[in-house]
């Protein structure tokens, strides 16, 4: 920890890249995945082969991109980054693939959003590193086969359930990232504070950790907002009181819930009597995309046990009611509307 706080030391822009671990030792948590990846990489290096294609899945913000980055550093290849929605046509994918060099890693984020036609071009590219291009139409159409250099794909998704099983089976390693425990999040906060030159008391870190939804990206975001708060109020040392005040101003509660999370619970309670209600209806009532409700809000609400997915739809649990101070017996008595 630096002796003196120098709040001006690091500019906020590009900070996420600054905080992102650049070597395995800096990557905290996900120990099993780390170990498995190190073995895959080590063995491929000995055999002088490209690593197997890897599929990483789990909720947003847990470090899938960071892991892809670490793998490419370890292999010494370039990381080429794209995402499912960015590859609209098979030609887009062909252009990406033909521009790869030996040892490159192609990182495809949000891979569940790849369209079917593109996915099918990817199959031979993954299996035999060939690209089949169809030239012409109808009976005179010909297939031109292009050999691609040895490369590997790392794909990431928050929705593995949306991937077809033929696609899933083409990955040599599939790993699920888990939410972090509080101790690991505190370590991440401590490391980030040091990089930022932020003098923060040890007992202030658990407060941020508890509000971070067990997610490093959120922990780092909250830490940066606390840093802003300390800067504006000219506090050279960040105490737990300062963290509490900053979180209160941000309307982040002690479990990390924000007004938008509570809004979803309240809409289900007030408009649909606590559920069951379908995802489409919830998204429309809250003015959010279905994907956002399902991928961003719901995983954490379910993890807290505040929301349940049932075959008939989403239901707010008793715990959820309790957190909002609403009596489940008087479901319609909250005066939200
Ligand atoms: N930043 C984001 N994820 C991280 C992790 N797992 N360890 C350290 N810093 C991180």
């Amino acid at each position: 920890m630096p002796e003196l706080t120098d709040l001006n030391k690091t500019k906020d822009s590009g900070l996420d890249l600054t905080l992102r671990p650049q070597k395995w030792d800096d990557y905290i948590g996900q120990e099993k995945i780390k170990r498995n990846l190190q073995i895959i990489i080590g063995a491929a290096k000995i055999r002088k082969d490209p690593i197997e294609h890897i599929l990483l899945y789990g909720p947003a913000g847990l470090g899938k991109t960071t892991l892809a980055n670490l793998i490419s550093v370890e292999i010494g290849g370039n990381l080429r980054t794209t995402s499912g929605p960015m590859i609209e046509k098979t030609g887009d994918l062909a252009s990406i693939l033909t521009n790869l060099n030996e040892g490159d890693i192609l990182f495809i984020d949000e891979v569940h959003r790849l369209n079917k036609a593109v996915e099918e071009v990817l199959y031979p590219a993954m299996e035999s590193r060939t690209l089949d291009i169809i030239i012409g139409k109808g009976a005179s159409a010909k297939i031109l086969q292009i050999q691609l250099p040895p490369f590997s794909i790392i794909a990431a998704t928050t929705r593995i359930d949306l991937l077809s099983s033929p696609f899933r089976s083409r990955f040599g390693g599939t790993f699920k990232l888990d939410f972090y425990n509080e101790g690991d999040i505190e370590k991440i906060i401590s490391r980030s504070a040091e990089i930022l030159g932020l003098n923060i008391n040890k007992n202030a870190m658990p407060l941020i950790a508890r509000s971070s939804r067990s997610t490093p990206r959120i922990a780092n975001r909250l830490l940066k907002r606390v840093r802003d708060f300390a800067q504006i109020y000219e506090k050279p040392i960040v105490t737990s009181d300062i963290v509490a005040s900053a979180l209160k101003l941000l309307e982040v509660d002690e479990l990390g819930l924000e007004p938008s999370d509570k809004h979803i619970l309240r809409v289900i309670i007030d408009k649909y009597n606590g559920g069951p209600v379908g995802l489409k209806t919830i998204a429309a009532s809250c003015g959010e995309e279905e994907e956002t409700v399902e991928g961003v809000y719901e995983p954490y609400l379910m993890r807290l046990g505040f929301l349940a997915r049932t075959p008939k739809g989403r239901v707010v649990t008793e715990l959820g009611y309790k957190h909002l101070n609403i009596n489940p017996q008087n479901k319609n008595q909250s005066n939200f509307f």
Side-chain angles (χ1 to χ4, degrees), residues 124-144:
M126 290 175 80
E127 261 166 24
S128 50
R129 295 187 173 83
T130 53
L131 177 64
D132 297 334
I133 296 179
I134 300 167
I135 298 170
K137 277 194 178 145
S140 62
K142 286 201 177 88
I143 294 183
L144 177 69

Side-chain angles (χ1 to χ4, degrees), residues 19-21 26-29 62-63 66 180 188 191 216-217 220:
L19 299 182
R20 188 172 281 174
D26 290 340
Y27 190 93
I28 294 155
L62 297 187
T66 304
Y180 289 66
I188 290 171
R191 173 182 175 271
R217 185 186 293 162
N220 283 336

Side-chain angles (χ1 to χ4, degrees), residues 80-259:
R80 306 289 184 94
T81 301
T82 185
S83 74
M86 274 171 73
I87 312 175
E88 284 178 26
K89 293 177 279 168
T90 54
D92 299 336
L93 180 62
S95 149
I96 292 171
L97 292 174
T98 49
N99 278 299
L100 291 175
N101 295 313
E102 181 169 348
D104 280 358
I105 303 260
L106 176 61
F107 179 63
I108 309 178
D109 203 6
E110 294 187 75
V111 75
H112 60 276
R113 293 178 66 187
L114 270 186
N115 70 51
K116 273 274 156 293
V118 171
E119 194 178 301
E120 270 163 31
V121 172
L122 209 47
Y123 288 168
M126 290 175 80
E127 261 166 24
S128 50
R129 295 187 173 83
T130 53
L131 177 64
D132 297 334
I133 296 179
I134 300 167
I135 298 170
K137 277 194 178 145
S140 62
K142 286 201 177 88
I143 294 183
L144 177 69
Q145 203 167 65
I146 298 175
Q147 193 60 44
L148 299 166
F151 73 98
S152 307
I153 288 177
I154 301 179
T157 180
T158 49
R159 294 294 311 275
I160 191 156
D161 55 306
L162 296 182
L163 299 190
S164 67
S165 67
F167 189 31
R168 274 197 244 176
S169 70
R170 283 167 166 89
F171 291 93
T174 297
F175 301 103
K176 176 177 187 283
L177 278 83
D178 278 324
F179 284 109
Y180 289 66
N181 63 42
E182 222 169 283
D184 282 346
I185 292 281
E186 281 178 38
K187 283 187 203 158
I188 290 171
I189 293 170
S190 173
R191 173 182 175 271
S192 299
E194 202 165 332
I195 293 170
L196 298 176
L198 186 67
N199 199 341
I200 177 166
N201 281 354
K202 249 203 147 14
N203 65 0
M205 292 187 205
L207 250 66
I208 300 180
R210 254 172 259 148
S211 295
S212 74
R213 299 163 165 259
S214 315
T215 304
R217 185 186 293 162
I218 298 177
N220 283 336
R221 194 185 77 211
L222 292 179
L223 184 70
K224 287 188 282 176
R225 296 295 72 81
V226 167
R227 174 190 190 234
D228 290 345
F229 192 89
Q231 184 143 30
I232 292 300
Y233 288 98
E234 297 182 356
K235 304 288 185 191
I237 297 173
V238 178
T239 61
S240 48
D241 282 349
I242 290 171
V243 171
S245 304
L247 293 178
K248 189 162 181 227
L249 191 64
L250 290 166
E251 295 186 88
V252 175
D253 77 11
E254 66 289 352
L255 293 177
L257 292 188
E258 297 182 25

Side-chain angles (χ1 to χ4, degrees), residues 272-289:
Y272 306 101
N273 213 20
V277 55
L279 172 67
K280 253 191 185 30
T281 314
I282 297 172
S285 305
C286 297
E288 299 271 7
E289 300 269 331

Side-chain angles (χ1 to χ4, degrees), residues 260 263-265 267-268 271 281-289 293:
S260 45
H263 183 69
I264 287 178
L265 294 176
V267 163
I268 300 175
K271 280 192 163 177
T281 314
I282 297 172
S285 305
C286 297
E288 299 271 7
E289 300 269 331
V293 173

